[in-house]
């Protein structure tokens, strides 16, 4: 979700025509929906026939308030770790149909995106706090004593995570991407942050860089900031108005960085720019290609490589994740994915635009909906992705033909509210060891099972750890 800077309509529910439309409708308690045209009722579940929900665990106290937004997910062994604006939750998912909460850690500091390596958990803090502890209070970012950055936890005992240390970084840590550094037996965290202003002592313009934090694997208490490489020495996209009047974001840092370590590549979604980065020298990342879309993209939000490392999916988070953009007015090319092929070799590699992809189901005016976090479904020889669309739900789609992407399966709930704009829906939807796990902002953890010929081979692919922004290679 974008950092909030501090200071033809397709009917989705036709019960009488559900068979013909290929829809399956499930009530909150398994009761069929009442026939209607338009938007399904609040919390009503609708989905394609080839995907179903097998579990849900609602948010539990103290994370059961509307303001306690569920965020990103990381996986280790048989556990899913879900961030929350108020901390994080560890789930046992050994039995995907019966997940259990192992522990909850109260540690306020939006967004609290998470990643994990070995016995270490990393937590991004991108809101101004009184200090780096888990008992901190909110402070204005204009206060020079305010703290933002990355926190580190020891999770060797998943039932009792232990806070270890923290590192402050300029403009905080909106998201972060980890890379192993075997030479020094450490983990490198590439911190993405943005939105500087002259009145913010710890977030001064220009801010065209990323922060690299080094965490010694055996001494995480000694973590430190080691580099701040500038990605845009000549400045990024200056921003402005798109032809349709929507606002295009200026580049003042990056929102998300996704690494493909085996390929020595990183893709950066940097507000107004999409970039391809050579990371062969882990401490000195080099931008080798940069693209802009000054017609349809408003905010370059995240990136995903295909398994061969020959394509990148960039997402456009039009409206910052809090606006209804899945409708006829906005159309199919804004708030969408941009599919780019990587052509050429070495420093001559280029990002070549091929097409947009956006869900075709229109959403209610009270439903925030836009392209958001997803991951590959590991099918050798095919490019298939599962993706969250906030209140637009979850889409499984194939981009093997970059110019002609197509949806395979979908699942969603009706609005959080029929009358109010309440931020909700799937923040992140990732495929892990045979199932789709979704962090719903308001509804907690959802587990889905997709059963389709196209995705069936993925059932046999297993990982011990998974961080969506550090892509592994499958099908060797």
């Amino acid at each position: 979700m974008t950092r909030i800077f501090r200071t033809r309509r397709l009917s989705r529910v036709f019960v009488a025509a559900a068979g013909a439309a290929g829809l399956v409708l499930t009530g909150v308690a398994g009761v069929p929906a009442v026939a209607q045209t338009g938007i399904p009722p609040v919390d009503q579940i609708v989905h394609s026939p080839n995907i179903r929900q097998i579990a849900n665990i609602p948010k539990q106290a103290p994370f059961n308030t509307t303001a306690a937004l569920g965020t990103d997910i990381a996986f280790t062994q048989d556990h899913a770790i879900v961030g929350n604006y108020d901390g994080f939750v560890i789930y046992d998912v050994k039995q995907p149909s019966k997940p259990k909460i192992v522990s909850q850690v109260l540690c306020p500091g939006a967004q609290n995106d998470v990643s994990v390596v070995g016995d270490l958990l990393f937590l991004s803090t991108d809101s101004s706090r009184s200090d780096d502890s888990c008992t901190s209070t909110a402070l204005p970012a204009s206060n020079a004593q305010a703290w933002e950055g990355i926190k580190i936890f020891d999770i060797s005992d998943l039932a009792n995570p232990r806070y270890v240390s923290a590192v402050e970084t300029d403009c905080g840590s909106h998201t972060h991407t980890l890379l192993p550094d075997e030479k020094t037996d450490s983990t490198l965290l590439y911190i993405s942050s943005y939105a500087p202003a002259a009145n913010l002592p710890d977030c001064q313009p220009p801010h065209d860089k990323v922060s690299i934090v080094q965490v010694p694997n055996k001494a995480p208490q000694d973590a430190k900031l080691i580099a701040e490489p500038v990605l845009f020495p000549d400045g990024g996209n200056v921003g402005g108005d798109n032809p349709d009047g929507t606002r295009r974001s200026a580049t003042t840092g990056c929102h998300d960085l996704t690494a493909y370590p085996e390929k020595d590549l990183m893709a950066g979604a940097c507000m107004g720019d999409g970039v391809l980065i050579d990371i062969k020298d882990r401490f000195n990342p080099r931008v080798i290609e940069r693209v802009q879309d000054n017609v349809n993209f408003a905010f370059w939000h995240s990136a995903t490589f295909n398994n061969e490392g020959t394509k990148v999916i960039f997402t456009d988070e039009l409206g910052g994740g809090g606006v209804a953009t899945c409708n006829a007015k906005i159309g199919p090319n804004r708030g969408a994915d941009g599919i780019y092929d990587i052509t050429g070799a070495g420093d001559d590699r280029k990002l070549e635009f091929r097409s947009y992809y956006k869900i075709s189901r229109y959403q209610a005016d009270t439903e925030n909906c836009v392209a958001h976090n997803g991951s590959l479904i590991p099918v050798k020889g095919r490019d298939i992705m599962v993706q969250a669309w906030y209140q637009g739900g979850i889409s499984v789609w194939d981009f093997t033909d970059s110019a002609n992407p197509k949806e395979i399966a979908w699942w969603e709930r009706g609005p959080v509210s029929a009358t109010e704009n309440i931020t909700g829906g799937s923040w992140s939807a990732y495929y892990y060891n045979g199932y789709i796990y979704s962090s719903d902002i308001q509804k907690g953890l959802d587990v889905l099972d997709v059963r389709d010929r196209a995705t069936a081979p993925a059932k046999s692919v297993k990982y011990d750890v998974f961080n969506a922004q550090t892509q592994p290679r499958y099908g060797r």
Side-chain angles (χ1 to χ4, degrees), residues 50-360:
N50 54 353
I51 192 170
R52 65 189 180 98
Q53 179 191 55
I54 62 171
N56 168 260
I57 296 186
K59 294 191 298 185
Q60 308 292 310
F63 304 143
N64 57 346
T65 68
T66 303
L69 310 184
T71 61
D72 214 4
I73 318 174
F75 300 87
T76 179
Q77 300 295 333
D78 295 322
H79 294 82
I81 304 174
V82 182
N84 185 287
Y85 269 50
D86 282 345
F88 62 91
V89 184
I90 300 179
Y91 297 88
D92 182 331
V93 294
K94 187 175 184 178
Q95 290 184 269
S97 62
K98 297 180 180 180
K100 299 180 293 185
I101 293 177
V102 175
S103 59
Q104 298 190 136
V105 175
L106 182 63
C107 193
Q111 298 181 144
N112 278 341
D113 280 6
V114 294
S115 69
V116 63
V117 61
D119 290 333
L120 299 179
L121 170 74
F122 308 109
L123 193 70
S124 278
T125 300
D126 191 33
S127 59
S128 299
R129 311 297 300 180
S130 56
D131 56 54
D132 62 5
S133 74
C134 284
T135 57
S136 65
T137 57
L139 279 183
S142 56
N143 188 321
Q145 303 305 311
W147 184 93
E148 299 178 76
I150 194 85
K151 297 187 180 85
I152 303 167
F153 290 80
D154 182 321
I155 56 168
S156 53
D157 181 355
L158 291 167
N160 296 285
R162 180 175 60 85
Y163 179 91
V164 175
S165 63
V167 178
E168 186 171 17
T169 54
D170 286 353
C171 300
S173 175
H174 193 70
T175 64
H176 66 272
T177 302
L178 68 81
L179 276 172
D181 184 32
E182 296 178 358
K183 293 180 180 179
T184 62
D185 190 20
S186 64
T187 298
L188 302 179
L189 303 178
Y190 292 71
I191 310 297
S192 298
S193 57
Y194 58 96
N199 68 324
L200 304 180
D202 298 322
C203 190
Q204 289 286 297
H207 184 75
D208 297 318
K209 63 185 181 182
V210 295
S211 301
I212 302 179
V213 170
Q214 185 176 37
V215 185
N217 293 328
K218 296 178 181 177
Q221 68 276 8
D222 296 332
K224 62 182 178 180
L225 178 69
I226 60 167
E228 295 179 299
V230 175
L231 299 183
F232 303 98
D234 300 321
N237 194 324
V238 297
D241 293 324
N242 288 333
D244 62 4
T246 58
R247 186 70 180 172
R248 183 174 66 255
S249 179
T251 298
T252 58
C254 291
H255 183 280
D256 256 43
L257 299 167
T258 296
Y260 200 151
E262 186 169 305
K263 301 287 185 179
D264 287 330
L265 279 178
M266 181 177 280
C270 301
M271 305 178 70
D273 294 90
V275 296
L276 193 63
I277 304 168
D278 183 305
I279 55 170
K280 188 172 184 178
D281 181 344
R282 300 290 198 250
F283 298 91
N284 295 286
R286 296 185 302 112
V287 174
I288 58 174
E289 169 67 331
R290 171 180 164 193
V291 292
Q292 298 177 350
D293 182 342
N294 294 334
V295 175
N296 288 309
F297 263 45
F299 189 93
W300 296 68
H301 173 274
S302 56
T304 302
F305 288 99
N306 70 336
N307 189 52
E308 297 304 314
T310 57
K311 302 177 185 179
V312 182
I313 305 300
F314 288 106
T315 66
D316 173 26
E317 196 184 46
L318 173 67
V323 178
T325 72
C326 299
N327 52 42
K329 178 181 178 181
I330 299 299
N333 296 335
R334 291 179 293 154
D337 296 316
I339 304 170
Y340 287 76
D341 284 354
I342 301 174
T343 61
D347 286 359
D348 293 326
R349 281 172 285 194
K350 301 295 182 184
L351 290 165
E352 301 284 351
F353 174 76
R354 294 292 182 253
S355 64
Y356 297 107
Y357 172 76
K358 188 175 181 180
I359 59 172
S360 60

Side-chain angles (χ1 to χ4, degrees), residues 11-27 31-41 44-46:
S11 179
R12 292 189 299 179
V13 180
F14 289 95
V15 172
L23 303 182
V24 177
L25 301 96
T26 306
V31 179
V34 176
Q36 60 174 305
T37 59
I39 307 302
Q44 177 72 60
I45 291 174
V46 292

Side-chain angles (χ1 to χ4, degrees), residues 339-410:
I339 304 170
Y340 287 76
D341 284 354
I342 301 174
T343 61
D347 286 359
D348 293 326
R349 281 172 285 194
K350 301 295 182 184
L351 290 165
E352 301 284 351
F353 174 76
R354 294 292 182 253
S355 64
Y356 297 107
Y357 172 76
K358 188 175 181 180
I359 59 172
S360 60
R361 293 166 298 283
Y362 292 162
Q363 309 295 308
D365 290 340
T366 60
E367 291 182 285
N368 57 299
C369 175
V370 74
H372 214 236
N373 295 353
S375 72
L376 295 182
I377 294 182
V379 178
K380 189 176 181 179
R382 300 283 294 272
D383 297 329
I384 301 176
M385 183 173 180
V386 58
Q387 186 175 7
W389 289 79
Y390 289 116
Q391 289 195 66
I394 295 165
S395 177
V396 177
W397 59 289
D398 188 319
F399 61 101
T400 306
D401 180 348
S402 301
N404 296 284
K406 59 182 181 181
E407 189 168 66
I408 294 171
W410 58 272

